[in-house]
């Protein structure tokens, strides 16, 4: 049930977790078109506070149903979640076990995928609302409003007022499933630059930033790639020092060192 993505004609509204790499490309392409046509471009990056600990079990079940999971799959997951217990202790005193109605098992292999489904479950109704209200960013056939990767979410719009409305909607929607947006970890940027401007997120004011980092990529919507190149060089430097003993070892076969160089240092630069 993933949304349709058509990059040949640049038609996309929501880019989900499974296609985050395409999301980076879409952001860069949209920013390039904004600069070319002189249209405003706004991005805010959200972070969910203690996301895995707070998500409601009821939201997990609803998210699975939305994806068309079988009744057996939902039943097994409900049985696993029903085992979640907590106890309060004070010194030698310990209260009886309490049933928990929220939280995913830490370290369980299924937890990241389940949380991905919950974020998409929350965003789907909002995407329809934003598109019908004219929120999001649109140029010709290219429409973009949200990109997410686990608990890291980008909202995109063509105006600050529209972005503020989208922020209010998403904070309210995540609150329904037990999640809270960590305002102190949120960032925003724009084209054109708004260095003296702030963006309101509840009672917290977010300062404008020159760039964002999403899925390991530095995003400069203003077209200045200086910081992005510096970031890649810094990453490549770390990789070089990690593998330097092998890369510079004269006794190691040359072709093996070339292969290692390509897979480590060169990939870090690219």
């Amino acid at each position: 049930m993933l949304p349709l993505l058509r990059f040949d004609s640049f038609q996309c509204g929501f880019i989900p977790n499974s296609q985050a790499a395409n999301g980076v490309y879409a952001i860069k392409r949209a920013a390039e078109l904004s600069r070319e046509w002189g249209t405003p471009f706004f991005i805010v990056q959200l972070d969910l506070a203690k996301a895995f600990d707070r998500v409601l079990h009821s939201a997990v079940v609803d998210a699975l149903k939305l994806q068309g999971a079988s009744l057996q799959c939902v039943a097994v997951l409900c049985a696993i979640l029903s085992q979640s217990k907590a106890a309060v202790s004070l010194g030698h005193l310990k209260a009886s076990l309490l049933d928990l109605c929220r939280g995913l098992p830490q370290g369980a292999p299924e937890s990241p995928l389940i949380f991905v489904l919950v974020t998409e479950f929350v965003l789907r109704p909002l995407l329809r609302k934003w598109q019908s209200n004219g929120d999001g960013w649109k140029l010709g056939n290219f429409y973009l409003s949200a990109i997410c990767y686990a608990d890291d979410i980008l909202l995109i719009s063509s105006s600050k007022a529209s972005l503020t409305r989208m922020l209010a909607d998403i904070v309210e929607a995540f609150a329904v499933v037990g999640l809270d947006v960590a305002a102190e970890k949120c960032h925003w940027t724009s084209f054109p630059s708004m260095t003296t401007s702030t963006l309101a997120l509840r009672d917290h004011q977010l300062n404008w930033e020159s760039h964002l980092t999403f899925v390991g990529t530095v995003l400069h919507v203003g077209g200045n790639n200086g910081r992005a190149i510096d970031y890649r060089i810094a990453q490549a430097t770390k990789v070089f020092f990690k593998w330097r003993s092998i890369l510079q070892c004269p006794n190691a076969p040359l072709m093996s060192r070339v292969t290692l160089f390509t897979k480590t240092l060169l990939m870090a630069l690219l």
Side-chain angles (χ1 to χ4, degrees):
M1 293 185 63
L2 293 177
L4 173 67
L5 296 177
R6 291 180 53 197
F7 285 103
D8 55 337
S9 57
F10 302 108
Q11 295 180 3
C12 53
F14 166 52
I15 300 179
N17 295 266
S18 58
Q19 304 184 34
N22 288 338
V24 172
Y25 164 73
I27 286 287
K28 291 183 175 181
R29 180 57 179 154
E32 180 183 352
L33 291 172
S34 285
R35 296 191 300 271
E36 181 179 350
W37 293 92
T39 60
F41 189 74
F42 292 80
I43 307 178
V44 62
Q45 184 177 29
L46 304 179
D47 187 86
L48 300 175
K50 298 185 180 299
F52 281 72
D53 297 333
R54 296 184 177 183
V55 61
L56 293 175
H57 292 169
S58 58
V60 171
V61 174
D62 290 339
L64 282 178
K65 291 179 179 178
L66 177 66
Q67 296 293 334
S70 66
L71 182 61
Q72 293 84 352
C73 177
V74 175
V76 169
L77 183 61
C78 288
I80 294 174
L81 295 178
S82 66
Q83 302 301 313
S84 300
K85 308 287 183 180
V88 179
S89 61
L90 179 61
H92 298 291
L93 299 178
K94 188 174 182 179
S96 57
L97 291 176
L98 301 174
D99 293 327
L100 296 180
C101 62
R102 62 175 64 205
L104 293 172
Q106 296 292 328
E110 71 277 4
S111 294
L113 176 59
I114 292 173
F115 186 79
V116 163
L117 299 181
V118 172
T119 57
E120 295 185 15
F121 166 73
V122 172
L123 282 169
R124 284 179 187 274
L126 294 179
L127 297 172
R128 293 190 289 268
K129 176 183 178 181
W130 292 339
Q131 191 163 14
S132 63
N133 291 345
D135 293 324
W137 183 86
K138 182 177 176 62
L139 184 65
N141 290 330
F142 194 171
Y143 173 72
L144 195 59
S145 60
I147 299 173
C148 67
Y149 182 72
D151 61 342
D152 198 357
I153 301 167
L154 299 181
L155 298 182
I156 303 97
S157 188
S158 56
S159 72
K160 187 177 175 182
S162 172
L163 197 62
T164 302
R165 291 194 298 269
M166 294 169 71
L167 270 174
D169 288 341
I170 203 167
V171 169
E172 181 181 353
F174 273 118
V176 173
V177 299
L179 299 175
D180 185 39
V181 176
E184 66 279 2
K185 293 185 178 180
C186 297
H187 313 275
W188 76 287
T189 188
S190 67
F191 171 80
S193 300
M194 304 182 70
T195 55
T196 60
S197 184
T198 59
L199 185 68
L201 178 54
R202 291 176 301 194
D203 297 329
H204 190 81
Q205 297 294 322
L206 308 180
N207 294 322
W208 183 89
E209 299 184 14
S210 61
H211 65 283
L212 303 176
T213 303
F214 179 70
V215 198
T217 302
V218 177
L219 300 176
H220 279 269
V221 297
N224 178 13
N225 294 319
R227 287 187 179 270
I229 293 175
D230 291 341
Y231 177 81
R232 293 181 185 180
I233 292 174
Q235 295 299 107
T237 302
K238 294 178 182 178
V239 171
F240 170 72
F241 281 104
K242 178 179 179 180
W243 297 101
R244 180 173 61 174
S245 60
I246 300 177
L247 290 172
Q248 294 184 333
C249 179
N251 297 324
L254 178 59
M255 288 307 300
S256 297
R257 285 188 284 161
V258 171
T259 302
L260 180 62
F261 169 82
T262 303
K263 292 183 177 180
T264 57
L265 189 61
L266 188 59
M267 290 302 296
L269 281 171
L270 297 177

